[in-house]
Amino acid sequence: MKYLGLDLGNRTCGVAVSDSMGMIATSLYTIRFFEKDLDTCLNEVEKVAKEKQVDKIVMGYPLNMNGTVGDQAHYVESFKKMLEERLNIEVILYDERLTTVEVQKIMISADVSRNKRKQKVDTLAATLILQSYLDTL
């Protein structure tokens, strides 16, 4: 089973993909779009999902630290619905609390420049979300 990992933000969406056995997540790239322009993001995700022939999508679910559903989580839920309707693929929401913080720490410890961290954080967060999900299977 092949998975696509997504880390959706207001202007970017990090993308990662698993191997065909669903064991290892690999970073792909970051989709950039105008503020909350989910249609553009949807079109790009559709392209990569078809190109990579994915069976399921795992998307980061940004719950509040106390576990409640906030505005950003509702935003992600609306994109999940759009994906499922357009692609007819199951979309799994996976708790992503502190993922971006963890990715930042990893990149700082690897002495990655601030500019490169800004460019890569979404893609690496998508990879971490997907790998964490795959590790639970």
mmCIF file of all heavy atoms in Angstrom, residues 12-36:
data_model
loop_
_atom_site.group_PDB
_atom_site.id
_atom_site.type_symbol
_atom_site.label_atom_id
_atom_site.label_comp_id
_atom_site.label_asym_id
_atom_site.label_seq_id
_atom_site.Cartn_x
_atom_site.Cartn_y
_atom_site.Cartn_z
ATOM 1 N N THR A 12 1.035 26.951 2.215
ATOM 2 C CA THR A 12 1.913 25.876 1.755
ATOM 3 C C THR A 12 1.331 24.516 2.139
ATOM 4 O O THR A 12 0.509 24.416 3.054
ATOM 5 C CB THR A 12 3.321 25.981 2.391
ATOM 6 O OG1 THR A 12 3.186 25.899 3.813
ATOM 7 C CG2 THR A 12 4.036 27.258 1.984
ATOM 8 N N CYS A 13 1.797 23.500 1.436
ATOM 9 C CA CYS A 13 1.423 22.128 1.775
ATOM 10 C C CYS A 13 2.638 21.249 1.526
ATOM 11 O O CYS A 13 3.063 21.066 0.375
ATOM 12 C CB CYS A 13 0.237 21.658 0.928
ATOM 13 S SG CYS A 13 -0.331 19.993 1.352
ATOM 14 N N GLY A 14 3.226 20.731 2.595
ATOM 15 C CA GLY A 14 4.343 19.816 2.464
ATOM 16 C C GLY A 14 3.841 18.467 1.980
ATOM 17 O O GLY A 14 2.767 18.024 2.369
ATOM 18 N N VAL A 15 4.633 17.833 1.102
ATOM 19 C CA VAL A 15 4.224 16.570 0.502
ATOM 20 C C VAL A 15 5.323 15.524 0.670
ATOM 21 O O VAL A 15 6.502 15.797 0.418
ATOM 22 C CB VAL A 15 3.919 16.743 -1.007
ATOM 23 C CG1 VAL A 15 3.428 15.451 -1.626
ATOM 24 C CG2 VAL A 15 2.906 17.860 -1.236
ATOM 25 N N ALA A 16 4.918 14.332 1.089
ATOM 26 C CA ALA A 16 5.820 13.194 1.222
ATOM 27 C C ALA A 16 5.112 11.964 0.675
ATOM 28 O O ALA A 16 3.885 11.955 0.553
ATOM 29 C CB ALA A 16 6.203 12.978 2.689
ATOM 30 N N VAL A 17 5.868 10.932 0.363
ATOM 31 C CA VAL A 17 5.280 9.702 -0.179
ATOM 32 C C VAL A 17 5.980 8.506 0.469
ATOM 33 O O VAL A 17 7.141 8.589 0.859
ATOM 34 C CB VAL A 17 5.409 9.664 -1.725
ATOM 35 C CG1 VAL A 17 6.848 9.511 -2.171
ATOM 36 C CG2 VAL A 17 4.531 8.594 -2.329
ATOM 37 N N SER A 18 5.252 7.417 0.582
ATOM 38 C CA SER A 18 5.851 6.199 1.122
ATOM 39 C C SER A 18 6.339 5.323 -0.029
ATOM 40 O O SER A 18 5.969 5.521 -1.187
ATOM 41 C CB SER A 18 4.833 5.413 1.957
ATOM 42 O OG SER A 18 3.910 4.735 1.120
ATOM 43 N N ASP A 19 7.126 4.338 0.329
ATOM 44 C CA ASP A 19 7.504 3.327 -0.653
ATOM 45 C C ASP A 19 6.283 2.448 -0.906
ATOM 46 O O ASP A 19 5.257 2.577 -0.234
ATOM 47 C CB ASP A 19 8.694 2.509 -0.153
ATOM 48 C CG ASP A 19 8.390 1.746 1.134
ATOM 49 O OD1 ASP A 19 7.567 2.226 1.935
ATOM 50 O OD2 ASP A 19 8.980 0.683 1.338
ATOM 51 N N SER A 20 6.369 1.550 -1.869
ATOM 52 C CA SER A 20 5.212 0.731 -2.251
ATOM 53 C C SER A 20 4.786 -0.248 -1.156
ATOM 54 O O SER A 20 3.655 -0.714 -1.152
ATOM 55 C CB SER A 20 5.500 -0.024 -3.550
ATOM 56 O OG SER A 20 6.630 -0.837 -3.393
ATOM 57 N N MET A 21 5.668 -0.538 -0.202
ATOM 58 C CA MET A 21 5.313 -1.436 0.894
ATOM 59 C C MET A 21 4.735 -0.683 2.088
ATOM 60 O O MET A 21 4.341 -1.292 3.074
ATOM 61 C CB MET A 21 6.531 -2.260 1.321
ATOM 62 C CG MET A 21 7.004 -3.188 0.210
ATOM 63 S SD MET A 21 8.255 -4.396 0.691
ATOM 64 C CE MET A 21 9.384 -3.481 1.656
ATOM 65 N N GLY A 22 4.703 0.647 2.010
ATOM 66 C CA GLY A 22 4.145 1.450 3.093
ATOM 67 C C GLY A 22 4.980 1.414 4.353
ATOM 68 O O GLY A 22 4.433 1.416 5.456
ATOM 69 N N MET A 23 6.307 1.423 4.185
ATOM 70 C CA MET A 23 7.181 1.342 5.349
ATOM 71 C C MET A 23 8.038 2.589 5.561
ATOM 72 O O MET A 23 8.305 2.961 6.694
ATOM 73 C CB MET A 23 8.095 0.119 5.231
ATOM 74 C CG MET A 23 7.322 -1.190 5.267
ATOM 75 S SD MET A 23 8.364 -2.630 5.108
ATOM 76 C CE MET A 23 9.249 -2.562 6.638
ATOM 77 N N ILE A 24 8.470 3.229 4.471
ATOM 78 C CA ILE A 24 9.413 4.339 4.577
ATOM 79 C C ILE A 24 8.852 5.575 3.876
ATOM 80 O O ILE A 24 8.470 5.517 2.708
ATOM 81 C CB ILE A 24 10.777 3.967 3.955
ATOM 82 C CG1 ILE A 24 11.359 2.771 4.699
ATOM 83 C CG2 ILE A 24 11.734 5.152 3.987
ATOM 84 C CD1 ILE A 24 12.585 2.175 4.052
ATOM 85 N N ALA A 25 8.815 6.699 4.595
ATOM 86 C CA ALA A 25 8.352 7.970 4.043
ATOM 87 C C ALA A 25 9.538 8.745 3.476
ATOM 88 O O ALA A 25 10.617 8.766 4.062
ATOM 89 C CB ALA A 25 7.662 8.793 5.125
ATOM 90 N N THR A 26 9.307 9.383 2.338
ATOM 91 C CA THR A 26 10.329 10.185 1.677
ATOM 92 C C THR A 26 9.757 11.557 1.337
ATOM 93 O O THR A 26 8.637 11.656 0.832
ATOM 94 C CB THR A 26 10.795 9.494 0.371
ATOM 95 O OG1 THR A 26 11.252 8.179 0.675
ATOM 96 C CG2 THR A 26 11.902 10.277 -0.311
ATOM 97 N N SER A 27 10.535 12.594 1.591
ATOM 98 C CA SER A 27 10.113 13.962 1.266
ATOM 99 C C SER A 27 10.033 14.150 -0.241
ATOM 100 O O SER A 27 10.882 13.650 -0.974
ATOM 101 C CB SER A 27 11.128 14.967 1.813
ATOM 102 O OG SER A 27 11.205 14.892 3.200
ATOM 103 N N LEU A 28 9.021 14.893 -0.686
ATOM 104 C CA LEU A 28 8.926 15.238 -2.103
ATOM 105 C C LEU A 28 9.192 16.733 -2.290
ATOM 106 O O LEU A 28 10.250 17.122 -2.734
ATOM 107 C CB LEU A 28 7.556 14.875 -2.674
ATOM 108 C CG LEU A 28 7.283 13.386 -2.864
ATOM 109 C CD1 LEU A 28 5.890 13.158 -3.430
ATOM 110 C CD2 LEU A 28 8.324 12.761 -3.781
ATOM 111 N N TYR A 29 8.225 17.578 -1.947
ATOM 112 C CA TYR A 29 8.369 19.013 -2.136
ATOM 113 C C TYR A 29 7.261 19.746 -1.384
ATOM 114 O O TYR A 29 6.396 19.116 -0.778
ATOM 115 C CB TYR A 29 8.344 19.392 -3.618
ATOM 116 C CG TYR A 29 7.145 18.875 -4.378
ATOM 117 C CD1 TYR A 29 5.945 19.586 -4.402
ATOM 118 C CD2 TYR A 29 7.207 17.671 -5.085
ATOM 119 C CE1 TYR A 29 4.844 19.107 -5.089
ATOM 120 C CE2 TYR A 29 6.109 17.197 -5.772
ATOM 121 C CZ TYR A 29 4.933 17.916 -5.776
ATOM 122 O OH TYR A 29 3.846 17.435 -6.455
ATOM 123 N N THR A 30 7.284 21.067 -1.494
ATOM 124 C CA THR A 30 6.254 21.907 -0.882
ATOM 125 C C THR A 30 5.443 22.582 -1.972
ATOM 126 O O THR A 30 6.003 23.181 -2.884
ATOM 127 C CB THR A 30 6.887 22.983 0.025
ATOM 128 O OG1 THR A 30 7.611 22.327 1.081
ATOM 129 C CG2 THR A 30 5.829 23.884 0.645
ATOM 130 N N ILE A 31 4.128 22.454 -1.876
ATOM 131 C CA ILE A 31 3.212 23.157 -2.774
ATOM 132 C C ILE A 31 2.986 24.539 -2.177
ATOM 133 O O ILE A 31 2.697 24.665 -0.990
ATOM 134 C CB ILE A 31 1.865 22.404 -2.879
ATOM 135 C CG1 ILE A 31 2.073 21.008 -3.453
ATOM 136 C CG2 ILE A 31 0.871 23.212 -3.701
ATOM 137 C CD1 ILE A 31 0.846 20.101 -3.306
ATOM 138 N N ARG A 32 3.110 25.565 -2.993
ATOM 139 C CA ARG A 32 2.874 26.940 -2.536
ATOM 140 C C ARG A 32 1.654 27.491 -3.258
ATOM 141 O O ARG A 32 1.475 27.261 -4.442
ATOM 142 C CB ARG A 32 4.098 27.815 -2.803
ATOM 143 C CG ARG A 32 5.303 27.285 -2.047
ATOM 144 C CD ARG A 32 6.510 28.190 -2.093
ATOM 145 N NE ARG A 32 7.675 27.512 -1.536
ATOM 146 C CZ ARG A 32 7.893 27.271 -0.253
ATOM 147 N NH1 ARG A 32 7.022 27.665 0.636
ATOM 148 N NH2 ARG A 32 8.978 26.650 0.157
ATOM 149 N N PHE A 33 0.803 28.214 -2.513
ATOM 150 C CA PHE A 33 -0.426 28.762 -3.079
ATOM 151 C C PHE A 33 -0.805 30.027 -2.326
ATOM 152 O O PHE A 33 -0.255 30.311 -1.262
ATOM 153 C CB PHE A 33 -1.562 27.720 -3.035
ATOM 154 C CG PHE A 33 -1.762 27.072 -1.698
ATOM 155 C CD1 PHE A 33 -2.662 27.593 -0.776
ATOM 156 C CD2 PHE A 33 -1.042 25.936 -1.346
ATOM 157 C CE1 PHE A 33 -2.845 26.997 0.464
ATOM 158 C CE2 PHE A 33 -1.215 25.330 -0.103
ATOM 159 C CZ PHE A 33 -2.122 25.859 0.802
ATOM 160 N N PHE A 34 -1.722 30.811 -2.907
ATOM 161 C CA PHE A 34 -2.187 32.021 -2.235
ATOM 162 C C PHE A 34 -2.943 31.648 -0.964
ATOM 163 O O PHE A 34 -3.504 30.551 -0.859
ATOM 164 C CB PHE A 34 -3.078 32.858 -3.157
ATOM 165 C CG PHE A 34 -2.321 33.500 -4.278
ATOM 166 C CD1 PHE A 34 -2.507 33.080 -5.583
ATOM 167 C CD2 PHE A 34 -1.413 34.516 -4.022
ATOM 168 C CE1 PHE A 34 -1.800 33.666 -6.617
ATOM 169 C CE2 PHE A 34 -0.705 35.110 -5.063
ATOM 170 C CZ PHE A 34 -0.897 34.677 -6.372
ATOM 171 N N GLU A 35 -2.984 32.565 -0.024
ATOM 172 C CA GLU A 35 -3.626 32.356 1.276
ATOM 173 C C GLU A 35 -4.953 31.604 1.163
ATOM 174 O O GLU A 35 -5.900 32.101 0.545
ATOM 175 C CB GLU A 35 -3.847 33.716 1.947
ATOM 176 C CG GLU A 35 -4.416 33.638 3.338
ATOM 177 C CD GLU A 35 -3.357 33.662 4.423
ATOM 178 O OE1 GLU A 35 -2.198 34.014 4.146
ATOM 179 O OE2 GLU A 35 -3.697 33.318 5.558
ATOM 180 N N LYS A 36 -4.996 30.424 1.741
ATOM 181 C CA LYS A 36 -6.187 29.569 1.821
ATOM 182 C C LYS A 36 -6.835 29.254 0.468
ATOM 183 O O LYS A 36 -8.029 29.005 0.388
ATOM 184 C CB LYS A 36 -7.212 30.151 2.794
ATOM 185 C CG LYS A 36 -6.664 30.201 4.216
ATOM 186 C CD LYS A 36 -7.704 30.535 5.235
ATOM 187 C CE LYS A 36 -7.088 30.464 6.625
ATOM 188 N NZ LYS A 36 -8.052 30.749 7.664
#
